[in-house]
């Protein structure tokens, strides 16, 4: 009879030399839990695949040590801030510098991407928190606070107690402060599906805050050291705290410790979760170490756990009050903000276009691909609606056997030499739409813009079925007739579309853009409208207020299309209208009536009213689709944020 294999709960995965000099910052990709970015005193940002020894890509351009790095949620962009105050954004798929953001006067302490759009928040020792639009290289808002450690958090010495602050970006004002910590606040984390915020501080406490009532829910005290890394479980059942040489699992109603896992990672710098495995990374000098905790062997609910790290008593367990209602799942609450603080708008110097010096900085910034094979596997074959790098999804690290004695425990773990296992195509996640019943035949719910073959076509569809077993050979005439089935119909469709495009092109050459758009709309062929909008979207100067009265109804049709390319075109056009014309429309509608008769003003007012009404009708559709996952959901959430002023 075979002896069962006993496995560890936690083990060291590997240790790498990440930079030629000291490592100053690092971050794990939260979507995959397998992508690692490090910043060093050598002014470089390096990309790694967890448990692979070689660097995938090295990003250069900073002239001073990199102080902070951050990956966006899809792990396509990375932002890095330096000691001099400069910020650079790289596109990982294109392997090139995307933006250089200048404006801070001291070192960058913290960075983060906005989850719903192409915005970056940066905190600096110059006491400013800035929100950047990375598409236009501009600073959108500037928040003046006390010395910054984390965007949205302002630690400060007495007599000003450190406290997290919650800001409404749309209204541009502070909603509430959360006092209570007696030391600098190092990390904040939002609950995945409740109105709950967790904050960790150097005062060795973790506080949980109700974001509806703006009050403390509970407080975890007695951490073995300053709290630097916290992370909610994906389903929100518990909070993980990366402590000195241990992982602690907490609940908050009431506050209690479910489990304590010994992990010899020292001061862990970041945590991520994937496939019931928690990955922790720590750095010392130029080395970076990674560790794995098997969450299936960790208690995440239930009774209070005894603490093997220190001799103190476990946290007191309070009896929950059944009369207290749970916090609601995410729906925007109606709250009244006391003592609103207006955001300081960016000055003209912050709005102006980047200088030639900025362009020179971008030309000098490079993305050096160190490992072409890994880079191609991770960043190149990404589908347009996938949520994480292909190589990094759906793969678990093998568990290390727990057979070491006390003497052997001091030796390096055998898992340090393990290579990243090749992905199994059958183990990779299936398409976003899943069901317990067999999927119906036909087109999928969303047809991707980039695909290797036409939707619904198979090689067997072009060959006649063999009805008699003896009929092994196919007659050429039968095969050709099957292949040509539908060919004449498709030729008619493509010929008609070509004629329609020629008509629109002829109108454009003899008239203006508005006339050509009207002709495309009159043809009642949505594919022609898409082709025309794709041209207009490439040159924003072609857009006038007249177009905003004609295009929105067509955009509404595109947003409801099953074709991803149509939805992307509609989102791009709507975003362009909202960014360029919505402020003008709202200003004209809010202006007092003029004295006397002004025909041109009346015409402009009529156009603004019509456009406002059309945008208002689209806002409901945008809001309903903002809960989608993938790039579609991100685009709709950004549009919903831009349309907030319509309310």
């Amino acid at each position: 009879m075979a002896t069962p294999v006993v496995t560890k709960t936690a083990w060291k995965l590997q240790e790498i030399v990440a930079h030629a000099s000291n490592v100053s910052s690092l971050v794990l990709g939260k979507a995959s839990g397998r992508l690692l970015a490090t910043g060093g005193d050598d002014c470089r940002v390096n990309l790694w695949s967890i448990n692979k020894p070689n660097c995938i890509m090295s990003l250069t351009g900073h002239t001073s040590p990199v102080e902070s790095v951050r990956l966006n949620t899809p792990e396509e962009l990375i932002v890095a801030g330096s000691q001099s105050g400069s910020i650079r954004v790289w596109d990982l798929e294109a392997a090139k510098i995307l933006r250089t953001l200048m404006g801070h006067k001291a070192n960058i302490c913290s960075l983060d991407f906005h989850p719903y759009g192409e915005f970056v928040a940066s905190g600096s020792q110059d006491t400013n928190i800035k929100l950047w639009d990375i598409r236009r290289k501009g600073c959108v808002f500037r928040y003046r606070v006390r010395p910054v450690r984390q965007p949205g958090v302002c630690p400060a010495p007495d007599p000003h107690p450190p406290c997290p602050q919650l800001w409404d970006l749309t209204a541009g004002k502070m909603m509430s402060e959360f006092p209570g910590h007696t030391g600098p606040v190092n990390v904040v984390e939002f609950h995945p599906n409740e109105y709950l915020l967790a904050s960790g501080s150097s005062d060795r406490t973790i506080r949980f805050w109700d974001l509806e009532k703006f009050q403390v829910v509970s407080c975890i005290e007695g951490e073995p050291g300053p709290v630097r890394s916290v992370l909610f479980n994906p389903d929100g059942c518990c909070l993980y705290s990366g402590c000195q040489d241990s992982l602690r699992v907490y609940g908050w109603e009431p506050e209690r410790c479910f489990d304590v896992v010994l992990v010899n990672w020292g001061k862990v710098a970041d945590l991520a979760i994937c496939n019931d495995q928690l990955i922790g990374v720590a750095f010392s000098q130029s080395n970076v170490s990674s560790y794995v905790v098997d969450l299936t062997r960790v208690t995440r609910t239930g009774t209070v756990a005894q603490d093997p790290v220190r001799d103190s008593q476990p946290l007191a367990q309070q009896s929950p009050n059944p009369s207290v209602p749970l916090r609601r799942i995410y729906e925007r609450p109606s709250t009244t903000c006391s003592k609103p603080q207006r955001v300081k708008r960016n000055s003209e110097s912050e709005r102006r276009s980047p200088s030639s010096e900025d362009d020179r900085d971008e030309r000098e910034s490079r993305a050096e691909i160190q490992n072409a094979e890994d880079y191609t596997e991770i960043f190149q074959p990404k589908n347009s609606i996938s949520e994480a790098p292909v190589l990094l999804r759906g793969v678990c690290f093998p568990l290390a056997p727990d057979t070491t004695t006390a003497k052997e425990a001091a030796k390096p773990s055998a898992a340090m030499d393990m290579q990243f296992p090749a992905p199994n195509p059958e183990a990779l996640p299936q398409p976003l739409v899943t069901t317990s019943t067999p999927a119906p035949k036909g087109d999928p719910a969303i047809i991707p813009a980039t695909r290797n073959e036409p939707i619904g076509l198979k090689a067997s569809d072009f060959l006649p079925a063999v009805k008699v077993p003896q009929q092994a050979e196919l007659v050429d005439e039968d095969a050709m007739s099957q292949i040509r089935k539908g060919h004449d119909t498709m030729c008619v469709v493509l010929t008609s579309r070509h004629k329609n495009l020629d008509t629109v092109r002829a109108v454009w050459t003899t008239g203006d853009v508005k006339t050509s758009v009207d002709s495309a709309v009159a043809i009642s062929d949505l594919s022609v409208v898409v082709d025309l909008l794709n041209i207009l979207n490439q040159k924003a100067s072609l857009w006038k207020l007249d177009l905003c009265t004609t295009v929105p109804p067509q955009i509404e049709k595109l947003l409801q299309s099953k074709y991803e390319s149509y939805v992307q075109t509609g989102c791009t056009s709507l975003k362009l209208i909202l960014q360029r014309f919505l402020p003008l429309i709202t200003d004209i509608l809010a202006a007092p009536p003029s004295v006397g008769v002004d025909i041109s003003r009346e015409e402009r007012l009529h156009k603004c009213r019509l456009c406002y009404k059309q945008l208002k009708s689209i806002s409901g559709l945008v809001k309903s689709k903002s809960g989608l996952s993938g790039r579609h959901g991100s685009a709709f959430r950004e549009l919903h944020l831009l349309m907030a002023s319509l309310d």
Side-chain angles (χ1 to χ4, degrees):
M1 182 176 179
T3 304
V5 177
V6 181
T7 58
K8 286 184 177 180
T9 301
W11 65 95
K12 186 175 183 179
L13 196 60
Q14 71 168 168
E15 184 172 344
I16 57 174
V17 178
H19 288 267
S21 57
N22 288 342
V23 177
S24 54
S25 58
L26 55 76
V27 67
L28 282 166
K30 297 301 186 288
S32 67
R34 302 299 195 261
L35 193 64
L36 171 67
T38 61
D41 290 347
D42 57 2
C43 310
R44 285 176 174 260
V45 177
N46 292 337
L47 272 294
W48 309 81
S49 177
I50 292 291
N51 205 33
K52 282 202 171 183
N54 299 321
C55 177
I56 302 173
M57 189 189 309
S58 185
L59 309 175
T60 63
H62 282 295
T63 57
S64 58
V66 176
E67 293 286 318
S68 181
V69 291
R70 195 75 174 184
L71 289 158
N72 71 338
T73 301
E75 300 177 10
E76 299 163 348
L77 303 178
I78 185 172
V79 60
S82 71
Q83 204 172 77
S84 64
S86 66
I87 301 171
R88 281 173 169 79
V89 184
W90 284 272
D91 186 328
L92 298 180
E93 289 187 16
K96 65 177 184 180
I97 183 74
L98 190 65
R99 290 288 182 265
T100 299
L101 307 175
M102 309 294 291
H104 282 295
K105 299 178 181 179
N107 57 310
I108 306 297
C109 301
S110 187
L111 293 164
D112 204 358
F113 282 93
H114 192 286
Y116 297 161
E118 297 177 343
F119 301 94
V120 169
S122 61
S124 171
Q125 290 267 341
D126 63 5
T127 71
N128 288 319
I129 294 176
K130 294 189 176 185
L131 184 66
W132 305 86
D133 185 338
I134 61 177
R135 297 160 301 185
R136 299 180 298 172
K137 305 185 184 181
C139 178
V140 181
F141 295 124
R142 179 164 67 94
Y143 311 90
R144 187 62 180 261
V145 294
R146 296 184 287 274
V148 176
R149 287 178 182 262
Q150 181 81 8
V153 179
C154 50
D158 292 333
H160 304 290
C163 60
Q165 295 179 346
L166 185 66
W167 291 76
D168 187 329
L169 298 182
T170 305
K173 59 185 177 183
M174 189 182 72
M175 298 178 65
S176 179
E177 287 188 333
F178 302 107
H181 285 295
T182 58
V185 178
N186 300 319
V187 62
V188 291
E189 184 79 8
F190 286 97
H191 193 280
N193 50 41
E194 292 183 18
Y195 275 102
L196 184 74
L197 177 73
S199 60
S201 170
S202 293
D203 62 6
R204 301 187 179 187
T205 66
I206 300 173
R207 291 180 178 267
F208 297 91
W209 310 91
D210 188 324
L211 297 183
E212 289 184 292
K213 300 178 181 179
F214 302 119
Q215 62 186 25
V216 66
V217 174
S218 57
C219 178
I220 304 292
E221 298 180 347
E223 286 282 276
V227 181
R228 294 184 177 89
S229 298
V230 296
L231 183 66
F232 279 104
N233 199 66
D235 63 1
C237 66
C238 63
L239 179 82
Y240 302 104
S241 174
C243 307
Q244 179 77 29
D245 287 329
S246 65
L247 175 74
R248 296 168 186 267
V249 188
Y250 291 120
W252 49 89
E253 288 181 316
E255 65 266 22
R256 58 210 187 278
C257 181
F258 292 132
D259 206 347
V260 180
V261 181
L262 294 175
V263 191
N264 295 321
W265 52 26
K267 296 179 180 178
V268 62
D270 198 17
L271 303 172
I273 294 176
C274 185
N275 299 327
D276 272 332
Q277 289 184 321
L278 183 140
I279 312 299
V281 286
F283 63 90
S284 175
Q285 296 180 344
S286 61
N287 296 339
V288 173
S289 303
S290 56
Y291 300 80
V292 179
V293 178
D294 182 8
L295 296 181
T296 61
R297 299 171 59 82
V298 174
T299 303
R300 287 176 272 189
T301 57
T303 58
V304 176
Q306 294 294 332
D307 191 342
V309 178
R310 62 181 188 271
D311 297 330
S312 59
Q313 295 297 322
L315 298 172
Q317 185 172 6
Q318 301 175 2
S319 59
N321 185 358
S323 63
V324 178
L326 295 176
R327 283 172 299 282
R328 293 181 292 138
I329 304 303
Y330 274 127
E331 293 177 1
R332 187 178 179 87
S334 55
T335 56
T336 304
C337 303
S338 59
K339 299 188 295 183
Q341 296 187 13
R342 297 299 302 177
V343 175
K344 184 173 181 180
R345 297 281 178 172
N346 49 296
S347 62
E348 288 299 320
S349 62
E350 292 173 322
R351 286 180 178 270
R352 67 175 184 267
S353 301
S355 63
S356 58
E357 183 179 352
D358 295 334
D359 294 335
R360 177 173 56 81
D361 288 341
E362 292 188 6
R363 287 195 299 270
E364 293 176 353
S365 300
R366 299 187 306 277
E368 302 171 358
I369 299 176
Q370 307 285 350
N371 191 320
E373 183 179 350
D374 286 349
Y375 167 76
T376 303
E377 282 188 279
I378 294 176
F379 296 111
Q380 288 301 313
K382 295 184 62 177
N383 186 284
S384 56
I385 59 174
S386 65
E387 296 182 352
V390 173
L391 177 67
L392 306 180
R393 294 187 311 232
V395 181
C396 292
F397 294 113
L399 298 178
D402 190 13
T403 58
T404 56
T405 61
K407 182 178 180 180
E408 293 172 335
K411 299 180 180 180
S413 171
M416 293 173 59
D417 299 324
M418 293 180 183
Q419 293 299 315
F420 200 100
N424 182 3
E426 297 180 357
L428 294 179
Q430 299 303 312
L432 297 178
V433 181
T434 58
T435 176
S436 58
T437 58
K441 289 189 70 176
D443 294 349
I446 297 178
I447 298 179
T450 57
R451 50 189 183 271
N452 297 326
E453 59 184 16
I455 293 297
L457 295 185
K458 299 179 181 179
S460 59
D461 296 339
F462 296 96
L463 302 175
V466 180
K467 299 180 180 179
V468 184
Q470 290 78 10
Q471 186 182 356
E473 295 185 3
L474 299 176
V475 181
D476 291 345
E477 290 76 8
D478 293 339
M480 291 300 297
S481 63
Q482 184 74 13
I483 292 173
R484 291 181 61 85
K485 182 184 293 185
H487 173 71
D488 294 337
T489 303
M490 181 58 66
C491 287
V492 171
V493 172
L494 294 177
T495 303
S496 174
R497 182 176 180 184
H498 186 266
K499 289 181 179 179
N500 291 336
L501 290 173
D502 279 343
T503 301
V504 174
R505 181 176 178 273
V507 173
W508 195 339
T509 56
T510 58
D512 57 3
V513 178
K514 175 66 163 56
T515 308
S516 64
V517 173
D518 290 340
S519 65
V521 172
I523 291 174
S524 299
D525 187 348
L526 205 57
S527 62
V528 176
V529 175
V530 169
D531 289 340
L532 185 57
L533 288 179
N534 282 331
I535 297 173
L536 296 176
N537 291 341
Q538 294 178 9
K539 193 171 183 181
S541 59
L542 294 174
W543 287 78
K544 307 297 180 185
L545 186 60
D546 289 341
L547 285 182
C548 300
T549 62
T550 306
V551 173
Q554 304 303 313
I555 291 178
E556 188 170 6
K557 295 178 182 178
L558 295 178
L559 297 183
Q560 301 178 69
S561 173
K562 67 178 180 178
Y563 295 100
E564 185 189 25
S565 59
Y566 284 24
V567 177
Q568 288 175 346
T569 300
C571 289
T572 303
S573 299
L574 181 57
K575 185 161 59 173
L576 195 148
I577 292 174
L578 294 174
Q579 290 175 339
R580 290 180 63 88
F581 296 100
L582 186 56
L584 172 66
I585 292 172
T586 54
D587 289 345
I588 291 177
L589 294 179
S594 61
V595 179
V597 179
D598 188 342
I599 297 178
S600 61
R601 185 182 184 280
E602 291 297 324
E603 292 178 350
R604 190 164 59 250
L605 182 61
H606 173 71
K607 295 175 183 177
C608 291
R609 286 173 178 168
L610 178 59
C611 184
Y612 184 87
K613 182 179 179 181
Q614 293 173 344
L615 293 176
K616 187 72 174 177
S617 66
I618 298 177
S619 62
L621 174 63
V622 172
K623 182 178 180 181
S624 66
K625 290 181 175 292
S626 60
L628 297 175
S629 59
R631 291 188 182 182
H632 275 174
S634 177
F636 280 113
R637 286 189 287 271
E638 181 180 2
L639 290 174
H640 183 53
L641 186 65
L642 293 173
M643 301 180 84
S645 59
L646 292 174
D647 300 331

